[in-house]
Amino acid sequence: MIPELGHFALILALMLALAQSVLPLWGAQARDARLMESGPPLALAQMVAVGAAFAALLWAFVTNDTTVSNVVANSHSAKPMIFKLSGAWGNHEGSMVLWVLVLALCSAAVAGFGRDLPSALRARVLAVLGMISTGFLLFILATSNPFDRVWPPPLDGQGLNPLLQDIGLALHPPLLYLGYVGYAVTFAFAVAALIEGRVDAAWGRWVRPWSLAAWSFLTLGIGLGSWWAYYELGWGGYWFWDPVENASLLPWLAGTALLHSAVVVEKREALKIWTVLLALLAFALSLLGTFLVRSGVLNSVHAFASDPARGVFILVLLGIYIAGAFALFAFRAPAMAPQGVFAPVSREGGIVLNNLLLCSLCAVVLVGTLYPLFLDLLAGRMISVGPPFFNLATLPLALPLAMAMAAGPLLAWKRAALWPVIQRLWWAAALALLAFLLAMFLAGAPVMPALGFAIGLWLIAGAATDILDRSGLGRTGIGNALRRAGGLPRAAWGAAIAHAGVGVTVLGIAGMGMATEKLIALTPGASTEFAGYEWRLEGVRDFQGANYTARRATVTVLRDGRTVQVMEPSKRFFPIGRTTTTETAIRTNGLRDLYAVLGEERDGADGRREAVLRLHYNLLAPFLWIGSLIMALGGGLSLTDRRMRVAAPARRAAAQGAPA
């Protein structure tokens, strides 16, 4: 009965989304206040309906209802409760319900917190969000119904993919969807502005919090996914330029450009057309990522779907939403002439450079990801585009971007001089040069990791310089500087913290460029020397888990005869799905990771059993995820700024002859 209620709730949500798509938009065009005011209650009602459907899906998984085919395919009675819950969205059908739920929550948030928006603009934004909800609810009901029944019901389910039975991946999709759907809101604001034919400083103020929230959640989601791949897949790395990884990176790059560009719209009423275009692109790339993952075009541990009908449906949605939005952009953009004028050397000019480099990086990643697919489709040839291409193609763009990132916040608005900024950054440049020389000549680092250390410290020092310069340290007393620093807007602190987080992540990338590994077969009691440590295999034994059996090795790591760590890598076998997974053992002190992976066991030359171990010494690996966390915290701190919460400045009357 409950699955049927969930199915009914999805149908009801579709009807409400259709009404939300039509009535407020009609009211805005006809200047009918009653129709415009129908948007908020419809958005709230749709949120309740989708929430009820998601609750019904959770109930089916918690109770292990084997009459529901989705539960049979992705759950089992022996599975721990946390993974029963995450199994509700750890599959294609459930993940799409979660996607629509997050979209409904965002629509309700616009309805609830957008009381200060002009009625016509809010009505149009809610209508566009209703259109997006309509398309995806149709997709779920037509091709991906999570409440389909199976008869006769089996005795138990088949279990969730063991690779997905992890707390990291349980949280990864919700965070990503909060990022993706946040860009649906900025997309809706952009389309509403194009329909109205007007973008101004107030519009930039309204868009900024949504772009910032989406960016922060997407940063957390990408960082968590990278961390999961690092410790769960057992290959010792953090990013392999997998096409599905790239699918989340693309909207992050476009969203980062949007976040900076929206500031210029708010402050100077410049870059208006460009900012609207970025808002459209960020969501277009989010939808593209959804298509790549859900269509089965890509083969990845992340991919859930392999039904061509689903891919065609999402491709049609992509065409309707994005082609329609860009057609509207082509029609309306010429009428939205920019008003702000600025010199090339200025804060606005620095943001333009930032945008150009970010969008160029986005284009490189997009081409490298899609070109093999188009080549296979058009010529029937398979090629692989991997880390060598992406690393070499993105580096020339990333270097000037890092240089500009530290200097940009020190530039004045409208017109600035470059030499005073260089003078304020001299100590950051000296620190970066020192780091490069020490890494090259004392640590023996290759050129690229040494350059990475220099860039990371340059970004951190640049962020510190921004705060010190704002507080007036060196121009006033220390006590007064501290008081001024404490009085700085939270958005200023948040931006500096986020930039420093990028620097911490770059340090982690540079450290991983010096990572070393060793593959060795050892008998119990034998040891090997690696990375300045002695690694001794104590033995391998069987272990019984909640829903798996395992072979677990015990490895003692010693230095100068003293035990430093005891590590227990294992291989798990899940009898329900007859799947074997690798469980790594990682010990960290915050500056380096000792990383061990258990391979196959075999008979050695002397007839004794040997265990194959893969050992890694990963320098500064924790900095990768600490940096992403710092970036997201910087974004969250900026969101608490009072200027992000108060009403946007009242719109000035449109100039004579401006488009309606």
Side-chain angles (χ1 to χ4, degrees), residues 349-410:
I351 290 176
V352 169
L353 178 61
N354 158 288
N355 277 213
L356 291 175
L357 292 170
L358 283 169
C359 290
S360 298
L361 280 168
C362 188
V364 168
V365 176
L366 181 66
V367 171
T369 303
L370 295 185
Y371 179 72
L373 303 179
F374 282 111
L375 186 64
D376 182 30
L377 176 66
L378 299 176
R381 295 180 56 192
M382 295 289 292
I383 65 169
S384 176
V385 177
F389 165 79
F390 289 107
N391 292 338
L392 291 174
T394 57
L395 182 63
L397 298 170
L399 286 177
L401 178 63
M403 298 298 293
M405 194 183 302
L410 300 174

Short mmCIF file of all heavy atoms in Angstrom, two decimals, residues 349-410:
data_model
loop_
_atom_site.label_atom_id
_atom_site.label_comp_id
_atom_site.label_asym_id
_atom_site.label_seq_id
_atom_site.Cartn_x
_atom_site.Cartn_y
_atom_site.Cartn_z
N GLY A 349 38.53 43.80 -14.17
CA GLY A 349 39.39 43.18 -15.16
C GLY A 349 39.98 41.87 -14.67
O GLY A 349 40.11 40.91 -15.43
N GLY A 350 40.35 41.82 -13.37
CA GLY A 350 40.85 40.57 -12.81
C GLY A 350 39.80 39.48 -12.84
O GLY A 350 40.10 38.31 -13.11
N ILE A 351 38.54 39.84 -12.58
CA ILE A 351 37.46 38.84 -12.62
C ILE A 351 37.21 38.38 -14.05
O ILE A 351 36.92 37.21 -14.30
CB ILE A 351 36.19 39.42 -11.97
CG1 ILE A 351 36.42 39.56 -10.46
CG2 ILE A 351 34.98 38.53 -12.25
CD1 ILE A 351 35.28 40.20 -9.71
N VAL A 352 37.33 39.30 -15.02
CA VAL A 352 37.20 38.89 -16.42
C VAL A 352 38.28 37.88 -16.79
O VAL A 352 38.02 36.85 -17.43
CB VAL A 352 37.26 40.12 -17.34
CG1 VAL A 352 37.40 39.69 -18.80
CG2 VAL A 352 36.01 40.97 -17.16
N LEU A 353 39.53 38.15 -16.38
CA LEU A 353 40.61 37.20 -16.63
C LEU A 353 40.33 35.87 -15.95
O LEU A 353 40.52 34.79 -16.54
CB LEU A 353 41.94 37.78 -16.13
CG LEU A 353 43.16 36.88 -16.26
CD1 LEU A 353 43.43 36.54 -17.73
CD2 LEU A 353 44.39 37.53 -15.63
N ASN A 354 39.88 35.92 -14.70
CA ASN A 354 39.50 34.71 -13.97
C ASN A 354 38.45 33.92 -14.75
O ASN A 354 38.56 32.70 -14.91
CB ASN A 354 38.97 35.14 -12.59
CG ASN A 354 38.06 34.13 -11.93
OD1 ASN A 354 36.92 33.94 -12.36
ND2 ASN A 354 38.53 33.51 -10.87
N ASN A 355 37.43 34.62 -15.25
CA ASN A 355 36.36 33.94 -15.99
C ASN A 355 36.86 33.30 -17.28
O ASN A 355 36.49 32.17 -17.62
CB ASN A 355 35.25 34.94 -16.31
CG ASN A 355 34.27 35.13 -15.17
OD1 ASN A 355 33.09 35.36 -15.39
ND2 ASN A 355 34.74 35.03 -13.94
N LEU A 356 37.71 34.04 -18.00
CA LEU A 356 38.22 33.51 -19.27
C LEU A 356 39.04 32.24 -19.04
O LEU A 356 38.91 31.25 -19.78
CB LEU A 356 39.05 34.57 -19.98
CG LEU A 356 38.28 35.77 -20.53
CD1 LEU A 356 39.24 36.81 -21.11
CD2 LEU A 356 37.28 35.33 -21.60
N LEU A 357 39.89 32.25 -18.02
CA LEU A 357 40.73 31.08 -17.75
C LEU A 357 39.89 29.91 -17.25
O LEU A 357 40.11 28.75 -17.66
CB LEU A 357 41.80 31.44 -16.73
CG LEU A 357 42.87 32.43 -17.23
CD1 LEU A 357 43.75 32.90 -16.08
CD2 LEU A 357 43.72 31.79 -18.32
N LEU A 358 38.91 30.18 -16.37
CA LEU A 358 38.05 29.11 -15.88
C LEU A 358 37.24 28.49 -17.02
O LEU A 358 37.10 27.27 -17.10
CB LEU A 358 37.12 29.64 -14.79
CG LEU A 358 37.74 29.85 -13.41
CD1 LEU A 358 36.79 30.63 -12.52
CD2 LEU A 358 38.08 28.51 -12.76
N CYS A 359 36.70 29.32 -17.89
CA CYS A 359 35.91 28.80 -19.00
C CYS A 359 36.79 28.07 -20.02
O CYS A 359 36.35 27.09 -20.64
CB CYS A 359 35.15 29.94 -19.68
SG CYS A 359 33.81 30.58 -18.65
N SER A 360 38.04 28.50 -20.17
CA SER A 360 38.96 27.77 -21.04
C SER A 360 39.28 26.41 -20.46
O SER A 360 39.32 25.40 -21.18
CB SER A 360 40.25 28.58 -21.23
OG SER A 360 39.99 29.82 -21.85
N LEU A 361 39.50 26.34 -19.14
CA LEU A 361 39.69 25.05 -18.48
C LEU A 361 38.47 24.16 -18.67
O LEU A 361 38.59 22.96 -18.95
CB LEU A 361 39.95 25.26 -16.99
CG LEU A 361 41.35 25.67 -16.56
CD1 LEU A 361 41.35 26.11 -15.10
CD2 LEU A 361 42.32 24.51 -16.75
N CYS A 362 37.30 24.75 -18.53
CA CYS A 362 36.06 24.00 -18.70
C CYS A 362 35.97 23.44 -20.13
O CYS A 362 35.57 22.29 -20.33
CB CYS A 362 34.87 24.90 -18.39
SG CYS A 362 33.28 24.07 -18.35
N ALA A 363 36.35 24.25 -21.11
CA ALA A 363 36.30 23.81 -22.51
C ALA A 363 37.26 22.66 -22.76
O ALA A 363 36.93 21.68 -23.46
CB ALA A 363 36.60 24.98 -23.44
N VAL A 364 38.47 22.74 -22.19
CA VAL A 364 39.45 21.66 -22.36
C VAL A 364 38.91 20.36 -21.77
O VAL A 364 38.98 19.29 -22.40
CB VAL A 364 40.79 22.05 -21.69
CG1 VAL A 364 41.71 20.84 -21.60
CG2 VAL A 364 41.46 23.16 -22.49
N VAL A 365 38.38 20.42 -20.56
CA VAL A 365 37.85 19.20 -19.92
C VAL A 365 36.66 18.67 -20.70
O VAL A 365 36.50 17.45 -20.87
CB VAL A 365 37.48 19.50 -18.45
CG1 VAL A 365 36.85 18.28 -17.80
CG2 VAL A 365 38.71 19.93 -17.67
N LEU A 366 35.80 19.57 -21.19
CA LEU A 366 34.62 19.14 -21.94
C LEU A 366 35.03 18.43 -23.23
O LEU A 366 34.50 17.35 -23.55
CB LEU A 366 33.75 20.36 -22.26
CG LEU A 366 32.46 20.08 -23.03
CD1 LEU A 366 31.50 19.26 -22.19
CD2 LEU A 366 31.80 21.39 -23.45
N VAL A 367 35.97 19.00 -23.96
CA VAL A 367 36.41 18.38 -25.21
C VAL A 367 37.08 17.03 -24.94
O VAL A 367 36.81 16.03 -25.62
CB VAL A 367 37.37 19.32 -25.97
CG1 VAL A 367 38.01 18.60 -27.15
CG2 VAL A 367 36.62 20.56 -26.46
N GLY A 368 37.96 16.98 -23.93
CA GLY A 368 38.62 15.73 -23.62
C GLY A 368 37.67 14.65 -23.16
O GLY A 368 37.92 13.45 -23.37
N THR A 369 36.55 15.04 -22.56
CA THR A 369 35.57 14.06 -22.08
C THR A 369 34.67 13.57 -23.20
O THR A 369 34.36 12.38 -23.29
CB THR A 369 34.72 14.68 -20.96
OG1 THR A 369 35.58 15.12 -19.91
CG2 THR A 369 33.74 13.66 -20.40
N LEU A 370 34.23 14.49 -24.07
CA LEU A 370 33.23 14.13 -25.07
C LEU A 370 33.83 13.66 -26.40
O LEU A 370 33.17 12.92 -27.13
CB LEU A 370 32.31 15.33 -25.35
CG LEU A 370 31.42 15.79 -24.18
CD1 LEU A 370 30.50 16.89 -24.66
CD2 LEU A 370 30.61 14.63 -23.61
N TYR A 371 35.05 14.08 -26.70
CA TYR A 371 35.61 13.72 -28.01
C TYR A 371 35.67 12.21 -28.25
O TYR A 371 35.29 11.74 -29.33
CB TYR A 371 37.00 14.34 -28.18
CG TYR A 371 37.65 13.99 -29.50
CD1 TYR A 371 37.18 14.56 -30.68
CD2 TYR A 371 38.70 13.08 -29.57
CE1 TYR A 371 37.76 14.24 -31.90
CE2 TYR A 371 39.27 12.75 -30.79
CZ TYR A 371 38.81 13.33 -31.95
OH TYR A 371 39.38 13.00 -33.15
N PRO A 372 36.12 11.41 -27.28
CA PRO A 372 36.12 9.95 -27.53
C PRO A 372 34.72 9.40 -27.81
O PRO A 372 34.57 8.47 -28.61
CB PRO A 372 36.68 9.37 -26.22
CG PRO A 372 37.47 10.47 -25.62
CD PRO A 372 36.74 11.72 -25.98
N LEU A 373 33.69 9.97 -27.17
CA LEU A 373 32.33 9.51 -27.41
C LEU A 373 31.88 9.83 -28.83
O LEU A 373 31.30 8.99 -29.52
CB LEU A 373 31.38 10.15 -26.40
CG LEU A 373 31.70 9.92 -24.93
CD1 LEU A 373 30.69 10.65 -24.05
CD2 LEU A 373 31.70 8.44 -24.60
N PHE A 374 32.16 11.07 -29.29
CA PHE A 374 31.77 11.45 -30.64
C PHE A 374 32.58 10.67 -31.69
O PHE A 374 32.04 10.30 -32.74
CB PHE A 374 31.95 12.96 -30.84
CG PHE A 374 30.86 13.77 -30.23
CD1 PHE A 374 31.12 14.57 -29.12
CD2 PHE A 374 29.57 13.75 -30.73
CE1 PHE A 374 30.12 15.33 -28.55
CE2 PHE A 374 28.56 14.50 -30.16
CZ PHE A 374 28.83 15.29 -29.06
N LEU A 375 33.85 10.43 -31.42
CA LEU A 375 34.66 9.67 -32.37
C LEU A 375 34.14 8.25 -32.51
O LEU A 375 34.07 7.69 -33.61
CB LEU A 375 36.12 9.66 -31.91
CG LEU A 375 37.12 9.03 -32.88
CD1 LEU A 375 37.18 9.84 -34.18
CD2 LEU A 375 38.51 8.93 -32.26
N ASP A 376 33.76 7.65 -31.39
CA ASP A 376 33.19 6.30 -31.43
C ASP A 376 31.88 6.29 -32.18
O ASP A 376 31.59 5.38 -32.96
CB ASP A 376 33.00 5.80 -29.99
CG ASP A 376 32.46 4.38 -29.95
OD1 ASP A 376 32.75 3.60 -30.88
OD2 ASP A 376 31.76 4.03 -28.97
N LEU A 377 31.05 7.34 -31.99
CA LEU A 377 29.75 7.41 -32.64
C LEU A 377 29.88 7.64 -34.14
O LEU A 377 29.19 7.01 -34.95
CB LEU A 377 28.93 8.53 -32.00
CG LEU A 377 27.55 8.82 -32.61
CD1 LEU A 377 26.61 7.64 -32.40
CD2 LEU A 377 26.95 10.09 -32.01
N LEU A 378 30.79 8.53 -34.54
CA LEU A 378 30.87 8.93 -35.94
C LEU A 378 31.79 8.05 -36.77
O LEU A 378 31.52 7.80 -37.95
CB LEU A 378 31.34 10.39 -36.04
CG LEU A 378 30.43 11.43 -35.37
CD1 LEU A 378 31.05 12.82 -35.46
CD2 LEU A 378 29.04 11.43 -36.01
N ALA A 379 32.90 7.60 -36.18
CA ALA A 379 33.89 6.85 -36.96
C ALA A 379 34.05 5.42 -36.48
O ALA A 379 34.79 4.65 -37.11
CB ALA A 379 35.25 7.57 -36.88
N GLY A 380 33.41 5.05 -35.39
CA GLY A 380 33.53 3.68 -34.89
C GLY A 380 34.91 3.38 -34.33
O GLY A 380 35.29 2.21 -34.24
N ARG A 381 35.66 4.41 -33.94
CA ARG A 381 37.00 4.21 -33.39
C ARG A 381 37.00 4.54 -31.90
O ARG A 381 36.37 5.50 -31.46
CB ARG A 381 38.01 5.11 -34.10
CG ARG A 381 38.21 4.78 -35.57
CD ARG A 381 39.22 5.73 -36.17
NE ARG A 381 40.49 5.69 -35.44
CZ ARG A 381 41.47 6.58 -35.62
NH1 ARG A 381 41.31 7.57 -36.48
NH2 ARG A 381 42.58 6.48 -34.92
N MET A 382 37.70 3.71 -31.14
CA MET A 382 37.78 3.91 -29.70
C MET A 382 39.15 4.46 -29.35
O MET A 382 40.18 3.90 -29.74
CB MET A 382 37.55 2.59 -28.97
CG MET A 382 36.16 2.00 -29.15
SD MET A 382 34.91 2.94 -28.26
CE MET A 382 35.37 2.58 -26.58
N ILE A 383 39.18 5.58 -28.66
CA ILE A 383 40.43 6.12 -28.15
C ILE A 383 40.25 6.42 -26.66
O ILE A 383 39.13 6.56 -26.17
CB ILE A 383 40.88 7.40 -28.89
CG1 ILE A 383 39.87 8.54 -28.65
CG2 ILE A 383 41.09 7.15 -30.36
CD1 ILE A 383 40.36 9.88 -29.11
N SER A 384 41.35 6.52 -25.96
CA SER A 384 41.31 6.81 -24.54
C SER A 384 41.99 8.15 -24.29
O SER A 384 43.13 8.37 -24.72
CB SER A 384 42.02 5.71 -23.74
OG SER A 384 42.06 6.03 -22.37
N VAL A 385 41.27 9.06 -23.65
CA VAL A 385 41.83 10.36 -23.27
C VAL A 385 41.93 10.36 -21.75
O VAL A 385 40.91 10.36 -21.06
CB VAL A 385 40.94 11.52 -23.75
CG1 VAL A 385 41.51 12.85 -23.28
CG2 VAL A 385 40.83 11.50 -25.27
N GLY A 386 43.15 10.31 -21.24
CA GLY A 386 43.34 10.15 -19.80
C GLY A 386 44.17 11.24 -19.17
O GLY A 386 44.34 12.34 -19.73
N PRO A 387 44.74 10.94 -18.01
CA PRO A 387 45.49 11.95 -17.25
C PRO A 387 46.60 12.66 -18.02
O PRO A 387 46.76 13.87 -17.84
CB PRO A 387 46.06 11.13 -16.08
CG PRO A 387 45.07 10.04 -15.88
CD PRO A 387 44.60 9.67 -17.26
N PRO A 388 47.39 11.98 -18.88
CA PRO A 388 48.46 12.73 -19.58
C PRO A 388 47.92 13.92 -20.37
O PRO A 388 48.48 15.02 -20.33
CB PRO A 388 49.09 11.68 -20.49
CG PRO A 388 48.83 10.39 -19.78
CD PRO A 388 47.48 10.54 -19.17
N PHE A 389 46.81 13.71 -21.10
CA PHE A 389 46.24 14.81 -21.88
C PHE A 389 45.74 15.92 -20.96
O PHE A 389 46.06 17.10 -21.15
CB PHE A 389 45.09 14.31 -22.75
CG PHE A 389 44.23 15.42 -23.30
CD1 PHE A 389 44.64 16.17 -24.39
CD2 PHE A 389 43.01 15.74 -22.70
CE1 PHE A 389 43.86 17.21 -24.88
CE2 PHE A 389 42.22 16.77 -23.18
CZ PHE A 389 42.64 17.50 -24.28
N PHE A 390 44.92 15.56 -19.97
CA PHE A 390 44.31 16.57 -19.12
C PHE A 390 45.36 17.34 -18.31
O PHE A 390 45.27 18.56 -18.16
CB PHE A 390 43.29 15.93 -18.19
CG PHE A 390 42.04 15.47 -18.87
CD1 PHE A 390 41.79 14.13 -19.07
CD2 PHE A 390 41.11 16.39 -19.33
CE1 PHE A 390 40.63 13.70 -19.69
CE2 PHE A 390 39.94 15.98 -19.96
CZ PHE A 390 39.71 14.63 -20.14
N ASN A 391 46.36 16.64 -17.81
CA ASN A 391 47.39 17.31 -17.02
C ASN A 391 48.16 18.32 -17.85
O ASN A 391 48.42 19.46 -17.43
CB ASN A 391 48.35 16.29 -16.42
CG ASN A 391 47.68 15.42 -15.37
OD1 ASN A 391 46.66 15.80 -14.79
ND2 ASN A 391 48.24 14.25 -15.12
N LEU A 392 48.55 17.91 -19.08
CA LEU A 392 49.33 18.80 -19.93
C LEU A 392 48.49 19.94 -20.50
O LEU A 392 48.98 21.06 -20.68
CB LEU A 392 49.96 18.00 -21.07
CG LEU A 392 51.07 17.02 -20.67
CD1 LEU A 392 51.51 16.19 -21.87
CD2 LEU A 392 52.26 17.77 -20.08
N ALA A 393 47.20 19.67 -20.77
CA ALA A 393 46.36 20.70 -21.40
C ALA A 393 45.87 21.72 -20.40
O ALA A 393 45.65 22.89 -20.76
CB ALA A 393 45.17 20.03 -22.10
N THR A 394 45.67 21.32 -19.15
CA THR A 394 45.13 22.26 -18.15
C THR A 394 46.22 23.08 -17.46
O THR A 394 45.93 24.17 -16.96
CB THR A 394 44.31 21.52 -17.10
OG1 THR A 394 45.12 20.52 -16.46
CG2 THR A 394 43.10 20.84 -17.73
N LEU A 395 47.45 22.58 -17.43
CA LEU A 395 48.49 23.27 -16.68
C LEU A 395 48.75 24.70 -17.19
O LEU A 395 48.85 25.63 -16.40
CB LEU A 395 49.79 22.45 -16.70
CG LEU A 395 50.96 23.05 -15.91
CD1 LEU A 395 50.60 23.11 -14.43
CD2 LEU A 395 52.23 22.23 -16.13
N PRO A 396 48.87 24.93 -18.52
CA PRO A 396 49.12 26.31 -18.97
C PRO A 396 48.00 27.28 -18.61
O PRO A 396 48.23 28.49 -18.57
CB PRO A 396 49.24 26.15 -20.50
CG PRO A 396 49.56 24.72 -20.73
CD PRO A 396 48.86 23.97 -19.64
N LEU A 397 46.82 26.79 -18.36
CA LEU A 397 45.71 27.66 -17.95
C LEU A 397 45.66 27.82 -16.44
O LEU A 397 45.29 28.88 -15.93
CB LEU A 397 44.38 27.08 -18.46
CG LEU A 397 44.25 26.97 -19.98
CD1 LEU A 397 43.01 26.16 -20.34
CD2 LEU A 397 44.16 28.35 -20.61
N ALA A 398 46.01 26.76 -15.72
CA ALA A 398 45.93 26.81 -14.26
C ALA A 398 46.99 27.73 -13.67
O ALA A 398 46.75 28.38 -12.65
CB ALA A 398 46.07 25.40 -13.68
N LEU A 399 48.17 27.80 -14.29
CA LEU A 399 49.24 28.64 -13.74
C LEU A 399 48.86 30.13 -13.71
O LEU A 399 48.95 30.77 -12.66
CB LEU A 399 50.53 28.41 -14.52
CG LEU A 399 51.24 27.08 -14.26
CD1 LEU A 399 52.47 26.95 -15.15
CD2 LEU A 399 51.65 26.97 -12.80
N PRO A 400 48.46 30.73 -14.84
CA PRO A 400 48.07 32.16 -14.76
C PRO A 400 46.83 32.37 -13.89
O PRO A 400 46.69 33.43 -13.27
CB PRO A 400 47.82 32.55 -16.22
CG PRO A 400 47.60 31.26 -16.94
CD PRO A 400 48.42 30.24 -16.23
N LEU A 401 45.94 31.37 -13.82
CA LEU A 401 44.77 31.50 -12.97
C LEU A 401 45.19 31.62 -11.50
O LEU A 401 44.67 32.45 -10.75
CB LEU A 401 43.85 30.30 -13.16
CG LEU A 401 42.58 30.26 -12.29
CD1 LEU A 401 41.69 31.45 -12.62
CD2 LEU A 401 41.83 28.95 -12.50
N ALA A 402 46.17 30.79 -11.09
CA ALA A 402 46.66 30.85 -9.72
C ALA A 402 47.36 32.18 -9.45
O ALA A 402 47.22 32.77 -8.37
CB ALA A 402 47.61 29.69 -9.46
N MET A 403 48.12 32.67 -10.41
CA MET A 403 48.79 33.95 -10.23
C MET A 403 47.77 35.08 -10.04
O MET A 403 47.91 35.94 -9.18
CB MET A 403 49.69 34.25 -11.43
CG MET A 403 50.81 33.24 -11.65
SD MET A 403 51.97 33.15 -10.27
CE MET A 403 52.71 34.77 -10.39
N ALA A 404 46.72 35.07 -10.87
CA ALA A 404 45.72 36.13 -10.80
C ALA A 404 44.85 36.01 -9.56
O ALA A 404 44.32 37.02 -9.06
CB ALA A 404 44.85 36.10 -12.05
N MET A 405 44.69 34.80 -9.04
CA MET A 405 43.82 34.59 -7.89
C MET A 405 44.30 35.34 -6.67
O MET A 405 43.51 35.85 -5.87
CB MET A 405 43.70 33.08 -7.59
CG MET A 405 42.56 32.73 -6.65
SD MET A 405 42.53 30.97 -6.26
CE MET A 405 42.39 30.27 -7.88
N ALA A 406 45.60 35.41 -6.48
CA ALA A 406 46.14 36.13 -5.33
C ALA A 406 46.11 37.63 -5.54
O ALA A 406 45.90 38.40 -4.59
CB ALA A 406 47.57 35.65 -5.05
N ALA A 407 46.32 38.08 -6.77
CA ALA A 407 46.41 39.52 -7.04
C ALA A 407 45.04 40.17 -7.19
O ALA A 407 44.86 41.35 -6.82
CB ALA A 407 47.23 39.77 -8.30
N GLY A 408 44.05 39.44 -7.71
CA GLY A 408 42.75 40.03 -8.02
C GLY A 408 42.08 40.73 -6.85
O GLY A 408 41.62 41.88 -6.98
N PRO A 409 41.99 40.10 -5.66
CA PRO A 409 41.29 40.77 -4.55
C PRO A 409 41.96 42.05 -4.07
O PRO A 409 41.33 42.84 -3.36
CB PRO A 409 41.31 39.69 -3.44
CG PRO A 409 41.45 38.40 -4.16
CD PRO A 409 42.31 38.70 -5.34
N LEU A 410 43.24 42.28 -4.42
CA LEU A 410 43.95 43.48 -3.98
C LEU A 410 43.76 44.66 -4.93
O LEU A 410 44.18 45.78 -4.63
CB LEU A 410 45.44 43.18 -3.84
CG LEU A 410 45.81 42.09 -2.83
CD1 LEU A 410 47.29 41.79 -2.88
CD2 LEU A 410 45.40 42.51 -1.42
#
